[in-house]
Amino acid sequence: MKIAVLPGDGIGPEIVAEAVKVMKALGLSMDLNEAPIGGAGYRAKGHPLPEETLSLAKASDAILFGAVGDFSLDTLPRELRPEQAILGLRKALNLFANFRPALVYPELVHASTLKPEVVAGLDILIIRELTGDIYFGQPRGIRTLENGEREGFDTMRYSESEIRRVAHVGFQAARKRGKRLCSVDKANVLDTMQLWREVVIEVGKDYPDVELSHQYVDNAAMQLLKNPKQFDVIVTGNLFGDILSDEASMLTGSIGMLPSASLNEKNFGLYEPIHGSAPDIAGKNIANPLATILSVAMMLRYTFNQGDVADHIEVAVKKVLAQGYRTGDIQEPGAKVVGTREMGDAVVAAL
Ligand code: IPM
Ligand code: MG
């Protein structure tokens, strides 16, 4: 198991260190190689995705990624900003299928801002297309019009084959779970999204055992708050998936709990927490490392076919929550509030 470890910026190094601690405690033979990325890549090598880091990623079986983003570099030209590192990796490695599960642990039902009865027992999976859409569409830019006014523009686009392959991923995932797939689009306004819907319906003919439904993204955003348990698997485009997955994370109490997997067709994967670099709390030993630790479980399950070891990690996380350990983001009266390192230690002890 050759794994590229890319901690990145802000809280990235702290949370990745805890995940690495857990990986080492598993007693598996893992070859871990660290490299700078994001703002750290820019500072070390002059580029957010340095050549050496990309080669290391390509030569590995999987990537453990922390987070990128650094406000002090936001004035750089876009191609040098930290975010380009993760976008570049997704594109270069063709990581088109992004799995973002949102699971409510019984111990954290009260950490959500929603009523317990709305979120208790929630278990949904958002599959976000990750290499197309308005994120990568050309042309894009900021231009000056004849009247001297500036105009910003981006291009939303999806080819049929891009929609088809992620739709298959969605149906196959639904088949392994509750057999219900909701495709989220904006077919009432956008042509790209009308094609999205048509192609998803076509692909659905191969999966008569999966119940397919469709929602417009504005309605889906509302339904996620109103009655999130109506969903099993959601499949959606890059931009809508970015937004809906942040929304879904808050059903679970904290964005600090949500892992993710970004896969290509060979099950090569990049594994990362869905949260960002949180520069405001960086270096304070208060960030929640559980999303990153749970991302290691996803890595073992999806890339290395070690579902049983993945189960051990997930059970250990449940155990530390049941023991009352909480980082600040999920704290509640009576809980043992611990720091990033202590939470990592607690998971290792539970393992
Ligand atoms: C995410 C993040 C990224 C995205 C940023 C950091 C580029 O928000 O992974 O959801 O927009 O995809
Ligand atoms: Mg996001």
Side-chain angles (χ1 to χ4, degrees):
M1 300 183 194
K2 188 168 158 59
I3 300 162
V5 177
L6 312 179
D9 305 320
I11 59 172
E14 296 166 71
I15 54 175
V16 166
E18 297 317 306
V20 166
K21 215 188 247 176
V22 169
M23 287 160 104
K24 290 188 172 156
L26 294 171
L28 300 171
S29 115
M30 289 176 161
D31 176 14
L32 307 177
N33 303 285
E34 203 174 304
I37 196 152
Y42 177 77
R43 289 180 208 284
K45 312 262 175 183
H47 195 278
L49 180 52
E51 201 55 56
E52 297 88 332
T53 303
L54 182 57
S55 323
L56 171 69
K58 285 184 173 161
S60 302
D61 303 313
I63 301 170
L64 179 66
F65 189 93
V68 291
D70 180 334
F71 292 136
S72 67
L73 300 177
D74 281 353
T75 48
L76 287 171
R78 181 170 301 283
E79 64 277 13
L80 292 178
R81 286 188 219 161
E83 288 75 10
Q84 294 306 308
I86 183 68
L87 298 173
L89 273 178
R90 289 171 182 169
K91 198 70 180 175
L93 301 167
N94 200 21
L95 306 172
F96 69 92
N98 182 210
F99 286 64
R100 297 191 161 188
L103 197 78
V104 173
Y105 293 93
E107 294 80 12
L108 296 186
V109 165
H110 295 278
S112 173
T113 49
L114 271 77
K115 294 196 183 96
E117 61 268 31
V118 176
V119 296
L122 180 83
D123 177 359
I124 63 179
L125 172 63
I126 297 183
I127 296 181
R128 167 187 176 195
E129 199 290 331
L130 208 53
T131 52
D133 204 352
I134 196 163
Y135 266 58
F136 293 96
Q138 294 289 343
R140 58 183 290 162
I142 298 174
R143 62 189 164 207
T144 305
L145 302 174
E146 274 171 19
N147 66 5
E149 188 185 22
R150 283 173 307 155
E151 176 183 73
F153 58 101
D154 293 272
T155 304
M156 177 175 274
R157 59 158 298 286
Y158 265 120
S159 68
E160 223 176 319
S161 58
E162 287 174 301
I163 303 168
R164 190 167 289 122
R165 66 181 181 176
V166 77
H168 277 291
V169 171
F171 281 106
Q172 280 159 19
R175 201 169 242 182
K176 291 193 200 134
R177 297 177 34 113
K179 297 195 166 39
R180 286 181 300 117
L181 180 67
C182 180
S183 168
V184 172
D185 62 37
K186 189 71 188 171
N188 52 341
V189 178
L190 303 168
D191 286 341
T192 310
M193 289 291 131
Q194 185 182 322
L195 180 67
W196 175 281
R197 187 173 291 211
E198 284 170 16
V199 174
V200 170
I201 291 171
E202 276 166 38
V203 172
K205 293 187 183 131
D206 294 350
Y207 301 87
D209 52 322
V210 175
E211 183 193 310
L212 173 64
S213 63
H214 305 271
Q215 282 183 16
Y216 298 137
V217 63
D218 50 347
N219 181 37
M222 184 183 80
Q223 296 296 336
L224 269 174
L225 297 184
K226 188 178 170 198
N227 176 20
K229 284 186 250 180
Q230 73 184 276
F231 297 108
D232 176 21
V233 180
I234 290 175
V235 66
T236 189
N238 204 344
L239 179 64
F240 299 161
D242 179 45
I243 299 167
L244 294 180
S245 60
D246 264 32
E247 185 187 358
S249 77
M250 288 319 290
L251 304 171
T252 74
S254 171
I255 197 166
M257 293 298 300
L258 267 72
S260 77
S262 307
L263 306 174
N264 66 17
E265 58 282 285
K266 294 178 201 130
N267 282 342
F268 173 93
L270 179 151
Y271 298 85
E272 59 170 332
I274 83 156
H275 61 71
S277 59
D280 51 325
I281 61 164
K284 297 187 179 156
N285 193 42
I286 57 177
N288 185 346
L290 293 178
T292 318
I293 291 171
L294 290 166
S295 298
V296 173
M298 291 188 89
M299 175 190 291
L300 288 163
R301 181 170 290 121
Y302 288 97
T303 292
F304 297 117
N305 265 316
Q306 303 249 8
D308 49 340
V309 190
D311 288 346
H312 288 318
I313 297 177
E314 288 164 357
V315 168
V317 167
K318 283 183 192 148
K319 194 166 166 189
V320 301
L321 292 174
Q323 287 166 341
Y325 290 103
R326 301 283 187 275
T327 41
D329 55 315
I330 49 177
Q331 74 183 15
E332 60 193 317
K336 299 176 203 138
V337 177
V338 294
T340 311
R341 283 191 292 276
E342 294 69 30
M343 187 59 113
D345 290 341
V347 174
V348 169
L351 267 175

